[in-house]
Amino acid sequence: MSSPQPSALAPAPVALTDLLRRYRAVRQQTADLCRPLLPEDTVVQPMIDVSPPKWHLAHTTWFFETFLLKEYQPDYAVFHPDYAFLFNSYYNSLGSRVNRADRGTLSRPPLQDVYDYRAHVDAHMLTLLDALAGAEAALPAAFAELFELGLQHEQQHQELLVTDIKYILSTSPLAPAYLPADGQQARAAALPPVSWLPVPGGIHRIGYEGEGFCFDNEQAPHEVYVADFTLQNRLVTNADYLEFMAGGGYQDFRYWLGEGWDLAQQQQWEAPLYWTQKDGRWYRFTHHGLQPLNLAAPVTHVSFYEADAYAHWAGARLLTEQEWEIAARHFGAQPAGTFLESRRFDPQPLPVPAAPDQCHQLLGDVWEWTYSAYHPYPGYLRAAGALGEYNGKFMLNQLVLRGGSCATPASHIRPTYRNFFHADKRWQFTGIRLAR
Amino acid sequence: MSSPQPSALAPAPVALTDLLRRYRAVRQQTADLCRPLLPEDTVVQPMIDVSPPKWHLAHTTWFFETFLLKEYQPDYAVFHPDYAFLFNSYYNSLGSRVNRADRGTLSRPPLQDVYDYRAHVDAHMLTLLDALAGAEAALPAAFAELFELGLQHEQQHQELLVTDIKYILSTSPLAPAYLPADGQQARAAALPPVSWLPVPGGIHRIGYEGEGFCFDNEQAPHEVYVADFTLQNRLVTNADYLEFMAGGGYQDFRYWLGEGWDLAQQQQWEAPLYWTQKDGRWYRFTHHGLQPLNLAAPVTHVSFYEADAYAHWAGARLLTEQEWEIAARHFGAQPAGTFLESRRFDPQPLPVPAAPDQCHQLLGDVWEWTYSAYHPYPGYLRAAGALGEYNGKFMLNQLVLRGGSCATPASHIRPTYRNFFHADKRWQFTGIRLAR
Amino acid sequence: MSSPQPSALAPAPVALTDLLRRYRAVRQQTADLCRPLLPEDTVVQPMIDVSPPKWHLAHTTWFFETFLLKEYQPDYAVFHPDYAFLFNSYYNSLGSRVNRADRGTLSRPPLQDVYDYRAHVDAHMLTLLDALAGAEAALPAAFAELFELGLQHEQQHQELLVTDIKYILSTSPLAPAYLPADGQQARAAALPPVSWLPVPGGIHRIGYEGEGFCFDNEQAPHEVYVADFTLQNRLVTNADYLEFMAGGGYQDFRYWLGEGWDLAQQQQWEAPLYWTQKDGRWYRFTHHGLQPLNLAAPVTHVSFYEADAYAHWAGARLLTEQEWEIAARHFGAQPAGTFLESRRFDPQPLPVPAAPDQCHQLLGDVWEWTYSAYHPYPGYLRAAGALGEYNGKFMLNQLVLRGGSCATPASHIRPTYRNFFHADKRWQFTGIRLAR
Amino acid sequence: MSSPQPSALAPAPVALTDLLRRYRAVRQQTADLCRPLLPEDTVVQPMIDVSPPKWHLAHTTWFFETFLLKEYQPDYAVFHPDYAFLFNSYYNSLGSRVNRADRGTLSRPPLQDVYDYRAHVDAHMLTLLDALAGAEAALPAAFAELFELGLQHEQQHQELLVTDIKYILSTSPLAPAYLPADGQQARAAALPPVSWLPVPGGIHRIGYEGEGFCFDNEQAPHEVYVADFTLQNRLVTNADYLEFMAGGGYQDFRYWLGEGWDLAQQQQWEAPLYWTQKDGRWYRFTHHGLQPLNLAAPVTHVSFYEADAYAHWAGARLLTEQEWEIAARHFGAQPAGTFLESRRFDPQPLPVPAAPDQCHQLLGDVWEWTYSAYHPYPGYLRAAGALGEYNGKFMLNQLVLRGGSCATPASHIRPTYRNFFHADKRWQFTGIRLAR
């Protein structure tokens, strides 16, 4: 996503101990993700989409300080008066901020000060939670909603941390590993057979309708009509993609959208991001350094332009986001596991044998590019105040991605979740599924 | 549109005399549009979206030469071997071409040579039509289809000529008139009352299904589901828009999409394109020079960003393209007249009194921005060969506009026609209709 | 030159008939240079350094209107109130102006209006001259100085017209000829032998000291010290330059200044501007269309970077401007003839045999790049008022060129004249002479 | 300087212990300069001219490894095979390298690895020195020359480290101090009286002629002629410069060179770099954080454009480099002290009273902009091989600065030393002295 997104629904009252436990767990998880980094790694911004990890650590903290402590703790003193300027992401409502492209020019405050900032805000947050929960049977609804959003927001940044760290380390010719390799990267895996699975059309209901949290862009739930369609039972693999490359996919403009072709020429794209060839063999840069390409694993780090060109080449097309959500429900898709926790930031091959009439890898492998613009759902309303800038203002010229990736927090993996990026982006775990 | 678009359906056999007459009429119309220009006016390109009129005159001719004469007339000798390079617009299939941004740097060939080129191709086209029609009962289907497309393509460029000429003349502080003013520009007009008209939702069929010509992007016809909605009975007027401006519409980011706000700041937008203030009064640059603002006329020359910001400010929204097409059918919209022929390139106020339960100005006034991305319809297929580049490769990051404008050829004004532009474009006759 | 330059010395009183004759001749010469052009040619600006011929025609007229008619004719009514904005070149003192890069976007006023402007100003100028000369024995000194400057300024623009026209026509693949070829372009010519001629060093005096007109940047005259040096008796020829090319001159960074090398790589320079290869043979675009390369003619249309790289490759160096002026006096250099009048805009080979101890081609062939920055001479003073912007503000980051070219008005060819351009410019008639 | 510069003269034989001592001292000095930094500070590159301190630490080490160890130690194994790519600055002769603008995107290798690199190279260098010195009575001349150049090169980077660190820390609104303030910053100081001191003209000899080391650009020594001139006895102070600002210096184009005026408008310059106004009082960012402006201290961090505009405003001019060197010898200028060692990176006011007929602050206060292009001296020859890229390729479009600053190593402060920068640069300690 380009941005985190606000809650539309206040969660039901929960026990204080649960809140404290979740708060601590989410905050700890962010710090844990940064632990393998050196201070030097936390400062740089090798492209505009990537934020320095130090900035992520501070910005997620700023969110709690700005929206909760400053609002609900009467005599709260900010940790530092300049941090509101330094760590605001894009909220015009909240004043001026560092130009996004300049986040990587700031060496100060140092990393340790940011950790101190986190500790300061955490201490006050825990005190505040205690005080609010003690005063009433449940937290005030508005507070509870913002608190939930703060946690969800921080989890969104955890995924960005994972992908930004990968990009940062990739820029060095030293190909440093974020984590030691576990020895499983290079194993060959059999390719499961491809099949085309039918999904019946008609009027379907999409959008979030459950009890729990969702982002405002998943609402309002509404009816859509789609015709019958079929989709592939698995994601496009690295082996599939090598065929596209061998077949001249990057050399033939007829497969490409015009803007994509121009960009591919200008950037001299010849393979997905992070691929490199040595002695006639393909490797990928991963969180475990440079690794041989696993042919059976899903292809990832492709732009929408490449996904669409691949589909043209294959005589197929991408799904729309409506079709994807209908299919995910139709096949009862289940997430693959807990990724952030396991630190396996690499899409895995489909286990073989795979049930032939089952649709695999819908949730938690790679974000699947859909051919749907990221626009508001019918009945969508921007929130008032600063949170109205959370989602709504990005609803143009981006495409919806569905399904969650191996870097997505488990609680963010659900059939209605709408991620969104511009068509040229490649540094997220983005992949391809074909439809007809 | 950014580009002309190919026929998907071969037209039914028609009489040769009709073909000859139509060919002559369309070709003549293009030349007539350029007649008020000086040679100097036909060369310049004051912004990348605008092509020099000389280029339009030649490119439409190149289309007939390339797709028809070179294919169907066995011993056809091209008028000049370099013209394929000079006047190809964007067809990669047909070799290299002048960079689009450099069209305005070429003084040669001179205008007269381009008219000679037109005469050369016209003579050969008429001979070829004669020969082909004489040989059989009807034209060969493939030829007939390309011939039709050539005419439709030239008509699309006629609208671009009208808007490009306006832009070219507007860049001079002399504010030269393309045509003499007819004295009607400044008359005040009463504003018809606004009402909100309901349209019933449900499953509707959209897309072109008739016998005649349509572009491939209007197909395949298909079902869509929409909820009940209401729309305004008339377009947003200049008077309405002045209220938005007076209400701080250009100063408050909360009404705007993020990319739109950044652009508006950078370009210092404070009013629609072509508006200027003198002595406290607003004027617009028109084909008749600088004219006082007609308050009752529809606002035009606004970007999608401005249209969307206006809708937010007004507590409403824009239509989707599906809603627009359903409404146009629901209200039995009829085009307002023949514009190119009448040379009234200025959206006119709604006559007063206007029937209160009628939906006005749907066809032929201004292109109405919809909040729908220009994506392929289900079942859309790109044509093989060079014509596959006509439409399909532009289907990303643009928005659909509906309804036709006062500069649109009458035969291009129909409820299924999909025009498309990037959200920032303002030099077409683009306007706003509100929905809820 | 990037700019015209003001007179520092008032000319001596002259007869009115001489003034009228000179005024008419200079003004006529400008119009004559544009006569072979079509209106289309007079509008475009294919790169920022090139101004549309229509602009030159108007700007030189604006100079007389602004600095003479508005100042000295009491009730003078400007031809058009917007022309001061449209045709000011760079005088901040005189208000805002069209951005230089946008001169080619203006189709209006049309060419005919500019000729009418010229006629209007000429009529008033002749009347004014008459009146002023009649009133006194001689023209007022300040007026006479400005009048002289107006003529010199217009002559500087005549050279720019010649080189801008060449560039404008060169951008078309049609390679149109400005003038018919005279059949002499392709003749082979023998190469005169090269020799190195010594010039004694010591203290020399440079700068203008005569009675006639000079530009302020030629003053004050002053002493300089140079060591003994030698220079080549002729300019570097196309044949010489082909050896540099064949010897890898464009492929070996060691010959190049850093900024030059980067630019040459980025622009993919492989030969001088206007050179093109067909079927293994080199051609140059000239005012007479595409012509075979004349091996014996001086190489021209090279940047300073290329000139300096050539010198390095040849084991030599370029002259300083002091050395050049000292050498020109030492050898009693004489201009080669009247170029603008003869319309021979092509440097000619040195006649063979050439006197071996004579230094050839010093004046009127090509502008010779010197390795001297264009800085003020000791004692240089900027004029007060708008004319202070004529020369002084350009005295940085440009290099001095000496000698005049085949496109320079004869009266501008003198040993003290300082022309100046940025090191990357190639569209003037610039060439190379070696020193040691 | 934009670049370090090679030795032209081999130093005389010296004792091994002296070499070892100097090597250790210079290398230690570089590390000492970085000691107050955090790892985060050593990575960023907030503008293209600034290099990350980590890069300086590695690049100076790479110089010894590349030019000495790889050449003279037969079986030397490089510390890391990728470092040649990572830490080459601009030597085309030595292969490809990181784009200069991307130095700040590289978090790896970490700072500690760079210190290990330094230790590795230092150990090998000391062994090599020992071996070479033991084998012969003196070091081989070519080695000795390169060794000397390596030390001089590293000292040049020490000054860049000082100024780059200042810029890096300045980008944070936190205004962090590199070193604690010593309490002397804010003290007021009396302004010594200004006087104009005459220097007799005539033929003078300039350029380096001593026994010790100099850079190749200081040679060959040669005669120049200058007229009599006068210069001010002290540098322009902050108080002087405030008068220029108050007098509209930044608002009146007439004082400025054209390119300078355009840049100043675009960048919105209103004061020297690092100046900021709070509550009506001026402060400067320094190595000791934000400090009140010391009115009596020399103005610094001004571009050539500002220096030249100031001189115009003051009715004076800048010196040429020839005049400067002649004046420095005429007045027997002596350096002010050892700056790098004392860590007083702030130009100090002239002690009062100052001898009225003495010329002050010529050496070691600020680099004085001269109005002389950085061109080769007569007889200058580029070295063969990679070292030929050290100086010669930068000799265009830059200006010479003279005198050394408070951040210059003492051994680099001499009357013949030619520093050079583009006219727009402001992050070095650059200042102004007036002449007439």
Side-chain angles (χ1 to χ4, degrees), chain D residues 103-278:
Chain D
R103 289 180 187 162
T105 67
L106 297 172
S107 65
R108 303 295 178 101
L111 181 59
Q112 187 53 53
D113 289 17
V114 168
Y115 280 121
D116 292 347
Y117 180 36
R118 290 182 71 87
H120 172 91
V121 165
D122 286 349
H124 281 275
M125 277 298 297
L126 296 174
T127 305
L128 176 60
L129 281 168
D130 223 16
L132 287 172
E136 312 181 37
L139 291 173
F143 176 90
E145 190 175 335
L146 285 163
F147 177 75
E148 180 64 34
L149 182 59
L151 294 179
Q152 298 281 344
H153 170 252
E154 181 138 353
Q155 287 184 301
Q156 291 186 309
H157 277 275
Q158 288 168 1
E159 177 158 6
L160 292 173
L161 262 171
V162 171
T163 52
D164 289 359
I165 287 168
K166 183 171 183 176
Y167 194 89
I168 286 168
L169 296 179
S170 78
T171 60
S172 171
L174 308 173
Y178 167 68
L179 294 172
D182 58 4
Q184 302 186 336
Q185 300 293 330
R187 80 181 145 76
L191 276 172
V194 173
S195 62
W196 291 89
L197 306 176
V199 179
I203 291 186
H204 292 264
R205 191 163 173 85
I206 69 166
Y208 191 80
E209 294 189 284
E211 290 290 300
F213 173 87
C214 77
F215 286 105
D216 65 351
N217 63 6
E218 299 173 62
Q219 297 192 316
H222 61 286
E223 274 75 33
V224 296
Y225 174 87
V226 300
D228 297 347
F229 65 97
T230 63
L231 79 170
Q232 282 201 346
N233 63 325
R234 63 159 175 80
L235 295 166
V236 170
T237 64
N238 289 324
D240 297 334
Y241 203 81
L242 281 170
E243 284 186 48
F244 168 68
M245 289 163 59
Y250 282 96
Q251 283 79 49
D252 191 335
F253 64 84
R254 289 175 306 160
Y255 304 130
W256 293 72
L257 287 160
E259 294 180 2
W261 177 250
D262 293 345
L263 186 69
Q265 298 309 295
Q266 182 197 312
Q267 304 273 328
Q268 302 182 292
W269 286 352
E270 296 181 346
L273 181 65
Y274 297 133
W275 287 33
T276 189
Q277 209 170 11
K278 289 201 299 190

Side-chain angles (χ1 to χ4, degrees), chain A residues 38-41 43-46 80 82-83 85-86 104-112 168-169 171-174 176, chain D residues 38-41 43-46 80 82-83 85-86 104-112 168-169 171-174 176:
Chain A
L38 297 168
E40 293 92 323
D41 300 324
V43 181
V44 298
Q45 180 179 36
H80 194 291
D82 287 328
Y83 281 20
F85 172 76
L86 286 168
T105 66
L106 298 172
S107 65
R108 304 293 178 102
L111 181 60
Q112 186 53 52
I168 286 168
L169 295 179
T171 59
S172 171
L174 308 173
Chain D
L38 297 168
E40 293 92 324
D41 300 323
V43 181
V44 297
Q45 181 179 36
H80 194 292
D82 286 328
Y83 282 20
F85 171 77
L86 286 167
T105 67
L106 297 172
S107 65
R108 303 295 178 101
L111 181 59
Q112 187 53 53
I168 286 168
L169 296 179
T171 60
S172 171
L174 308 173

Side-chain angles (χ1 to χ4, degrees), chain C residues 258-259 371 393 395 422, chain D residues 254 258-259 371 393 395 422:
Chain C
E259 294 181 3
Y371 208 137
K393 75 180 186 184
M395 289 180 170
H422 290 98
Chain D
R254 289 175 306 160
E259 294 180 2
Y371 208 137
K393 75 180 186 184
M395 290 181 170
H422 290 97

Side-chain angles (χ1 to χ4, degrees), chain B residues 1-161:
Chain B
M1 64 244 109
S2 292
S3 64
Q5 306 147 349
S7 156
L9 288 180
V14 291
L16 176 61
T17 49
D18 284 351
L19 292 178
L20 295 174
R21 189 182 43 72
R22 273 191 69 214
Y23 181 84
R24 284 199 195 93
V26 168
R27 298 284 288 169
Q28 186 61 44
Q29 174 72 357
T30 307
D32 286 351
L33 285 169
C34 294
R35 196 173 304 142
L37 300 177
L38 298 168
E40 292 92 324
D41 300 324
T42 69
V43 182
V44 297
Q45 180 179 34
M47 73 164 172
I48 191 169
D49 300 305
V50 163
S51 293
K54 193 180 71 173
W55 186 90
H56 286 295
L57 286 165
H59 167 68
T60 49
T61 304
W62 167 89
F63 195 98
F64 283 108
E65 184 177 64
T66 302
F67 290 108
L68 289 144
L69 292 179
K70 286 167 80 170
E71 294 298 319
Y72 288 91
Q73 183 166 316
D75 54 352
Y76 177 73
V78 295
F79 180 73
H80 193 292
D82 287 329
Y83 281 21
F85 171 76
L86 286 168
F87 300 122
N88 176 5
S89 52
Y90 55 70
Y91 294 88
N92 289 310
S93 310
L94 301 169
S96 62
R97 57 191 178 276
V98 174
N99 190 309
R100 187 178 178 185
D102 294 336
R103 288 179 187 164
T105 67
L106 298 172
S107 65
R108 303 294 179 101
L111 181 60
Q112 187 53 53
D113 288 16
V114 168
Y115 279 121
D116 293 346
Y117 180 36
R118 291 182 70 87
H120 173 90
V121 165
D122 286 350
H124 282 275
M125 277 298 296
L126 295 176
T127 305
L128 176 61
L129 281 168
D130 223 18
L132 287 172
E136 311 182 38
L139 292 174
F143 177 89
E145 190 175 333
L146 285 164
F147 177 75
E148 181 64 34
L149 182 59
L151 295 178
Q152 299 280 345
H153 170 252
E154 182 138 353
Q155 288 183 303
Q156 292 186 309
H157 278 275
Q158 288 168 2
E159 177 158 5
L160 292 174
L161 262 171

Side-chain angles (χ1 to χ4, degrees), chain D residues 157-421:
Chain D
H157 277 275
Q158 288 168 1
E159 177 158 6
L160 292 173
L161 262 171
V162 171
T163 52
D164 289 359
I165 287 168
K166 183 171 183 176
Y167 194 89
I168 286 168
L169 296 179
S170 78
T171 60
S172 171
L174 308 173
Y178 167 68
L179 294 172
D182 58 4
Q184 302 186 336
Q185 300 293 330
R187 80 181 145 76
L191 276 172
V194 173
S195 62
W196 291 89
L197 306 176
V199 179
I203 291 186
H204 292 264
R205 191 163 173 85
I206 69 166
Y208 191 80
E209 294 189 284
E211 290 290 300
F213 173 87
C214 77
F215 286 105
D216 65 351
N217 63 6
E218 299 173 62
Q219 297 192 316
H222 61 286
E223 274 75 33
V224 296
Y225 174 87
V226 300
D228 297 347
F229 65 97
T230 63
L231 79 170
Q232 282 201 346
N233 63 325
R234 63 159 175 80
L235 295 166
V236 170
T237 64
N238 289 324
D240 297 334
Y241 203 81
L242 281 170
E243 284 186 48
F244 168 68
M245 289 163 59
Y250 282 96
Q251 283 79 49
D252 191 335
F253 64 84
R254 289 175 306 160
Y255 304 130
W256 293 72
L257 287 160
E259 294 180 2
W261 177 250
D262 293 345
L263 186 69
Q265 298 309 295
Q266 182 197 312
Q267 304 273 328
Q268 302 182 292
W269 286 352
E270 296 181 346
L273 181 65
Y274 297 133
W275 287 33
T276 189
Q277 209 170 11
K278 289 201 299 190
D279 305 327
R281 198 172 165 200
W282 283 103
Y283 292 78
R284 287 168 317 129
F285 179 77
T286 73
H287 284 85
H288 312 288
L290 210 59
Q291 299 290 341
L293 199 63
N294 185 331
L295 293 176
V299 68
T300 187
H301 298 299
V302 290
S303 65
F304 173 83
Y305 295 123
E306 289 160 299
D308 181 64
Y310 178 88
H312 265 94
W313 171 83
R317 62 172 178 87
L318 304 177
L319 293 148
T320 64
E321 69 165 323
Q322 289 81 13
E323 289 172 334
W324 192 95
E325 186 168 330
I326 290 163
R329 285 184 169 146
H330 180 74
F331 292 108
Q334 298 298 329
T338 57
F339 299 104
L340 273 174
E341 293 71 16
S342 70
R343 304 291 178 87
R344 292 287 301 273
F345 302 128
D346 218 9
Q348 297 298 310
L350 187 59
V352 177
D357 56 350
Q358 180 62 21
C359 193
H360 302 281
Q361 299 174 313
L362 280 163
L363 290 173
D365 295 272
V366 297
W367 287 105
E368 302 182 24
W369 284 108
T370 73
Y371 208 137
S372 288
Y374 178 56
H375 285 184
Y377 277 173
Y380 170 78
L381 284 178
R382 291 194 201 176
L387 289 179
E389 298 187 62
Y390 200 108
N391 259 333
K393 75 180 186 184
F394 300 105
M395 290 181 170
L396 200 74
N397 293 336
Q398 307 205 44
L399 291 150
V400 173
L401 299 104
R402 293 297 193 109
S405 82
C406 60
T408 307
S411 63
H412 287 236
I413 297 184
R414 60 179 169 268
T416 59
Y417 195 103
R418 304 173 80 200
N419 202 352
F420 51 94
F421 285 102

